Structure formats: C-alpha cells, structure tokens
C-alpha cells in the first residue's frame, strides 16, 4: 500500500473548504485549480455527492452552508470541522450533532471513520479496493491529508493504525470521497513537491479541502 500526502501543523496552517454551489466542476476542474485560487499549497477532493451533484451530507465553506445533515449513511458518519476560534477536529456525527455542526466555519461530513481513539474501526468493508482520500489527526496540532493506492477500507484503517504513515500515532482518521473522485495536488512550495495524483478518467467533484498558511 502506497501513501502520498502532506503533513502539517495546525498552528501555522489550516484547511478550508472550497465548495462549488453550481455543482461538480462548475468552477474548478481539479484540486490544483481550487488550491491555486486561494494560493494554497496542497489540496484534495473532499465530500461525497449525489449523481445530481448535491452534497451527500452537510458542507460549510467560510460559514456558508450547503447540503443537509446526513443521519443515515456511513458516508456521513464522521465530521471534519473548524470552529470560530480556528480549532480543527475530527469526530463522530452523533458527538458533534446537527446544531453544533451548523455553527462551524468550515465543515465536511464524510465517512466512514477509519481510526478512532487510536484504534482501527471494526467491521469496515474488506473486499472492495479503490484509491482512497483521507485525513489524519493526532488529536493535537499534527495533521495529514492525502491518498493511497487501491485498497479496502478495512486494510486502510489497519495500516493507518499500525504503520503510522504520517510518522506519528494517529488518533482519528476520516475517509473522504475516493475512487474516480480521488484527486491529490501538492505545490512545489512543499518539500518533495510538486505532485499531482489524478487519473485521466477522474470525474469532476463538488468540493475540495485546500491547505493554506495561517
């Protein structure tokens, strides 16, 4: 299993949501274009969306809300968010709740959770392989965004918990939209960059997470 991505410290960098209200690909063709619009240094595609292009869950971009709270699907069982004081976190949807989620400055509802409290989530799908996009957090200020070569969700969760691909122990990990949506871009301003991982048959996506300096 191959991991590619970028680690960062939330004390000097943050993630912001770039959402396309008119639908997938309506403003930005890929993660590179979305990141460049904000002078970002890296980006990945983010949340799931319906065949019609609507978010499959709640999305908050710079305080503006799109989509609706997903209470039923595993694809909305986890939440990445940033609150008004600039603190980012990953949590279960039941823990943050609809009311609190809607007050966040930035938010992506996605899933499933891959790792929670340093342990891989049990019962994840173990046979279907696909490129995966995901986000890692140590519970403090250390974060990582990126993708992996095709694998199952169960294999990915176990690898994150045991292999520590970011170089530190992962407390929480959240799966984002992968497969044909998987799109990772890293700027030349990042050591080891530039890097683009997006196949020719990728489909346009609804939103992105862009890494920017504070």
């Amino acid at each position: 299993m191959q991991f590619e991505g970028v680690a960062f410290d939330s004390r000097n960098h943050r993630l912001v949501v770039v959402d396309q209200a008119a639908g997938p690909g309506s403003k930005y063709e890929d993660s590179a274009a979305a990141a460049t619009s904000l002078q970002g240094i890296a980006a990945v595609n983010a949340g799931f969306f319906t065949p019609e292009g609507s978010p499959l869950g709640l999305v908050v971009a710079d305080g503006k809300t799109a989509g609706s709270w997903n209470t039923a699907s595993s694809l909305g069982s986890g939440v990445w968010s940033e609150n008004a004081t600039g603190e980012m976190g990953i949590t279960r949807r039941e823990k943050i709740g609809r009311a609190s989620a809607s007050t966040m400055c930035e938010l992506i509802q996605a899933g499933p959770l891959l790792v929670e409290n340093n342990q891989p989530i049990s019962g994840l799908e173990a046979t279907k392989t696909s490129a995966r996009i995901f986000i890692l957090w140590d519970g403090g200020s250390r974060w990582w965004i990126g993708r992996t070569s095709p694998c199952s969700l169960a294999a990915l969760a176990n690898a994150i918990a045991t292999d520590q691909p970011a170089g530190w122990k992962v407390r929480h990990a959240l799966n984002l939209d992968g497969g044909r949506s998987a799109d990772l871009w890293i700027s030349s301003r990042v050591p080891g960059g530039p890097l683009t991982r997006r196949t020719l048959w990728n489909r346009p996506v609804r939103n992105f997470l862009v890494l920017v300096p504070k």
Side-chain angles (χ1 to χ4, degrees), residues 2-183:
Q2 181 181 12
F3 291 89
E4 295 178 302
V6 59
F8 65 97
D9 192 309
S10 60
R11 290 172 294 187
N12 46 51
H13 288 80
R14 62 188 287 253
L15 292 169
V16 295
V17 178
V18 173
D19 187 55
Q20 302 177 96
S26 57
K27 191 170 184 180
Y28 302 111
E29 180 182 0
D30 51 28
S31 61
T36 301
S37 73
L38 297 178
Q39 297 184 327
I41 60 172
V44 292
N45 64 291
F48 296 88
F49 51 95
T50 68
E52 295 74 33
S54 299
L56 191 63
L58 186 66
V59 174
V60 183
D62 194 24
K64 183 178 295 185
T65 300
S68 59
W69 192 241
N70 182 342
T71 61
S73 170
S74 66
L75 301 182
S77 59
V79 175
W80 166 85
S81 63
E82 181 190 71
N83 64 20
T85 63
E87 297 176 325
M88 298 193 303
I90 293 173
T91 188
R92 285 186 175 272
R93 65 183 163 205
E94 292 86 1
K95 187 173 181 180
I96 188 172
R98 184 198 310 257
S100 180
S102 63
T103 69
M104 294 294 164
C105 296
E106 308 282 340
L107 182 143
I108 289 288
Q109 187 179 13
L113 285 168
L114 300 167
V115 174
E116 185 176 33
N117 295 321
N118 306 119
Q119 299 298 316
I121 299 295
S122 61
L124 293 175
E125 210 287 320
T127 58
K128 297 178 182 177
T129 62
S130 184
R132 308 289 179 183
I133 296 288
F134 52 99
I135 182 169
L136 311 178
W137 180 37
D138 77 339
S141 64
R142 291 184 295 188
W143 292 80
W144 185 97
I145 55 170
R147 66 172 279 163
T148 188
S149 53
C151 62
S152 70
L153 289 170
L156 176 57
N158 288 327
I160 291 170
T162 58
D163 297 342
Q164 300 181 17
W168 32 260
K169 192 169 183 64
V170 175
R171 183 171 180 82
H172 299 298
L174 178 65
N175 181 64
L176 302 174
D177 193 8
R180 288 183 57 207
S181 296
D183 184 356

